[in-house]
Amino acid sequence: MTRSTETPRPYRSYVYAYPHKTAYRPLDERPPLDALWADEPKDALSLYAHIPFCEVRCGFCNLFTRIGAPDELTTRYLDALDRQAVAVREALGDAAPVRFATAAFGGGTPTYLSAAELERLCDIAELRMGADLRAVPLSVETSPATATADRLAVLAERGATRLSIGVQSFVEAEARAAVRPQRRADVEAALGRIRDTGVPVLNIDLIYGIDGQTEASWRRSLDAALQWRPEELYLYPLYVRPLTGLGRHTGGQDADREWDEQRLRLYRHGRDHLLARGYRQVSMRMFRRADAPALGPDDHACQTDGMIGLGCGARSYTSRLHYSFDYAVGTREIRSIIDAYTDTADFSRAEVGRPTDPDEARRRHLLQSLLQAEGMETGDYTARFGASPFADFPAELARFEELGWLDGDAPGGLLRLSPEGLAHSDGLGPELFSPAVRAAMAAYEAK
């Protein structure tokens, strides 16, 4: 195989799951969930509930969410979530132990829901699905405007171990440039309320690569966040995607290259700033305070264990199929999908998804392991697949080595990225996509 000698662009695709939902398609056979889960291990599942509502849509956001929820839409949505949970739990059956090892509420903004609605969401997770929220790690996303004392009190009482708040920038001009208008005083007040809950882990999301952002202004945001001693910090590069509110006239390839260089420069500055202040790097994006408490017992392994997604934007994973509902970014299409979800009576079948064959399982395992700073034990990979990753992906791994992206000093049996490899995670990840997934993503028509 002939390999390109050109270095991939460092910011090609944020690889948070594989394959991406743009590779999903309507499933002709609409397989019943009980058949999909019949032979799957179910003793360390992950539960994710998706709430697709926000008070404002940020200019960079391409998540499945809408602004506002008129005409009691949140009530109808939770009604549908309840129906889906009943159908899914019935499909899981009781022939084998069913246990959730971790849980998360995301969105959108879960705390767009009222305190009473958050109580109901927790009840659905516990009473319908059987998740013990007080016994497992429970992560919940929030925003400065919706992190009110009554909502946070519900989450703390129901077992939340981690609250994640999207701040993006403490510099008001940068927040406006990212179409995320907010006052720093409101952000600080929300952080104070989160700390008052006593929830053990606070995560703050920040973004680099915003128009007008400099190393000095980026450092001001980092230092403002560090004042709260967050247990976790996520540093996200800014992406501008089709159908989002933030437009960028790049002026062609040279400007794209300049933006890549700006983001890499800011990433390295942020990384080094946090490492020097007692944080350890978990992935390209995630940094954890060295003395941060553990989130609790967590024996879920994302490479091998299944995931149950509730809500119209959530994914579910079995060993043979990844499935969800339809996907969109545009406002009109998202509203239509949410309305269809709330009208659904029968949630017993998978509607949209992508089968996972042995080759895709290998790619997913390698991707989700290699993009973590701790790397991957090659013995674990071989035990699962019967071959070495170097035998399965000789060209890709040889190229990563040529580019200096693999850690040559890693202990024997450990495949690990170098610091430069971690910096290029968003360029490295897509290099491991299969030709079939690439073709499906390229053929997807944005809506």
Side-chain angles (χ1 to χ4, degrees):
M1 178 187 295
T2 301
R3 297 191 303 273
S4 170
T5 57
E6 183 180 349
T7 303
R9 287 190 62 189
Y11 299 103
R12 294 168 64 195
S13 178
Y14 171 21
V15 184
Y16 59 92
Y18 178 78
H20 190 269
K21 285 175 76 172
T22 54
Y24 290 14
R25 295 293 184 269
L27 299 168
D28 293 335
E29 297 181 359
R30 297 180 62 242
L33 300 187
D34 55 0
L36 287 177
W37 285 98
D39 299 322
E40 297 286 323
K42 298 181 277 285
D43 58 342
L45 296 172
S46 174
L47 177 65
Y48 177 78
H50 177 251
I51 305 300
F53 307 112
C54 289
E55 78 278 6
V56 64
R57 181 151 187 161
C58 302
F60 51 83
C61 178
N62 70 338
L63 300 178
F64 188 96
T65 187
R66 61 160 291 168
I67 300 171
D71 303 322
E72 298 185 339
L73 181 56
T74 54
T75 298
R76 290 187 283 116
Y77 187 83
L78 289 172
D79 289 345
L81 201 74
D82 194 293
R83 294 194 299 274
Q84 185 188 7
V86 170
V88 170
R89 183 60 187 85
E90 182 177 339
L92 292 176
D94 293 308
V98 176
R99 172 180 164 269
F100 291 95
T102 182
F105 302 154
T109 308
T111 49
Y112 180 89
L113 300 177
S114 68
E117 289 170 331
L118 287 171
E119 290 274 17
R120 186 180 180 195
L121 177 61
C122 292
D123 285 344
I124 291 171
E126 291 188 330
L127 303 179
R128 301 302 195 200
M129 295 303 302
D132 188 348
L133 298 182
R134 293 179 179 84
V136 301
L138 170 61
S139 178
V140 185
E141 296 173 6
T142 189
S143 69
T146 62
T148 59
D150 58 339
R151 292 176 170 107
L152 297 175
V154 167
L155 296 173
E157 194 279 326
R158 296 302 291 261
T161 55
R162 178 181 183 269
L163 293 172
S164 177
I165 183 168
V167 173
Q168 320 315 349
S169 178
F170 284 85
V171 179
E172 292 182 10
E174 290 179 1
R176 287 194 299 272
V179 194
R180 175 60 183 265
Q182 60 191 15
R183 295 191 316 136
R184 178 167 172 176
D186 295 334
V187 172
E188 302 277 2
L191 288 165
R193 291 191 295 271
I194 291 173
R195 277 307 196 200
D196 288 344
T197 66
V199 170
V201 174
L202 163 66
N203 173 71
I204 298 176
D205 289 345
L206 297 175
I207 284 181
Y208 56 91
I210 301 170
D211 276 342
Q213 192 175 48
T214 64
E215 289 185 25
S217 67
W218 176 226
R219 189 166 57 252
R220 285 202 300 274
S221 267
L222 291 165
D223 287 339
L226 290 171
Q227 289 295 315
W228 294 95
R229 299 199 73 242
E231 285 69 26
E232 294 177 3
L233 276 159
Y234 270 72
L235 308 185
Y236 287 96
L238 178 66
Y239 277 100
V240 177
R241 298 303 194 194
L243 303 181
T244 60
L246 189 61
R248 174 177 287 272
H249 300 288
T250 61
Q253 206 169 41
D254 288 343
D256 286 343
R257 214 173 281 121
E258 289 174 8
W259 193 29
D260 284 346
E261 291 170 0
Q262 179 210 19
R263 285 180 288 181
L264 271 175
R265 186 171 61 252
L266 293 171
Y267 159 79
R268 291 177 177 128
H269 184 81
R271 175 197 63 195
D272 295 347
H273 198 67
L274 295 183
L275 293 178
R277 282 154 182 80
Y279 285 76
R280 62 181 181 87
Q281 187 165 18
V282 179
S283 68
M284 171 187 168
R285 289 166 177 76
M286 182 183 176
F287 295 80
R288 200 155 206 275
R289 214 177 69 212
D291 62 347
L295 286 171
D298 180 6
D299 55 354
H300 172 81
C302 64
Q303 296 93 335
T304 55
D305 292 323
M307 178 170 176
I308 295 292
L310 300 179
C312 59
R315 313 160 185 256
S316 295
Y317 303 145
T318 72
S319 61
R320 295 175 306 233
L321 180 74
H322 292 189
Y323 63 92
S324 182
F325 297 92
D326 201 5
Y327 171 72
V329 175
T331 300
R332 182 179 302 173
E333 288 75 11
I334 287 176
R335 290 180 177 179
S336 176
I337 293 170
I338 293 173
D339 288 343
Y341 174 82
T342 60
D343 290 339
T344 298
D346 181 5
F347 286 102
S348 65
R349 293 177 177 271
E351 301 287 340
V352 177
R354 186 169 188 86
T356 302
D357 62 21
D359 174 67
E360 297 293 13
R362 285 172 164 83
R363 292 177 184 277
R364 182 170 182 263
H365 188 111
L366 181 60
L367 265 171
Q368 294 191 302
S369 303
L370 193 57
L371 295 184
Q372 300 298 307
E374 66 183 6
M376 182 184 75
E377 295 286 349
T378 56
D380 292 344
Y381 180 97
T382 302
R384 181 180 179 191
F385 298 112
S388 157
F390 295 97
D392 285 342
F393 301 97
E396 292 90 340
L397 292 176
R399 187 177 184 210
F400 297 163
E401 187 173 20
E402 289 173 5
L403 291 167
W405 290 355
L406 298 184
D407 183 0
D409 296 324
L414 183 66
L415 181 60
R416 186 169 66 191
L417 295 182
S418 65
E420 198 60 16
L422 275 178
H424 285 80
S425 291
D426 285 2
L428 180 153
E431 292 289 299
L432 292 171
F433 292 4
S434 71
V437 164
R438 290 173 192 258
M441 292 175 68
Y444 175 78
E445 294 185 9
K447 59 184 180 179

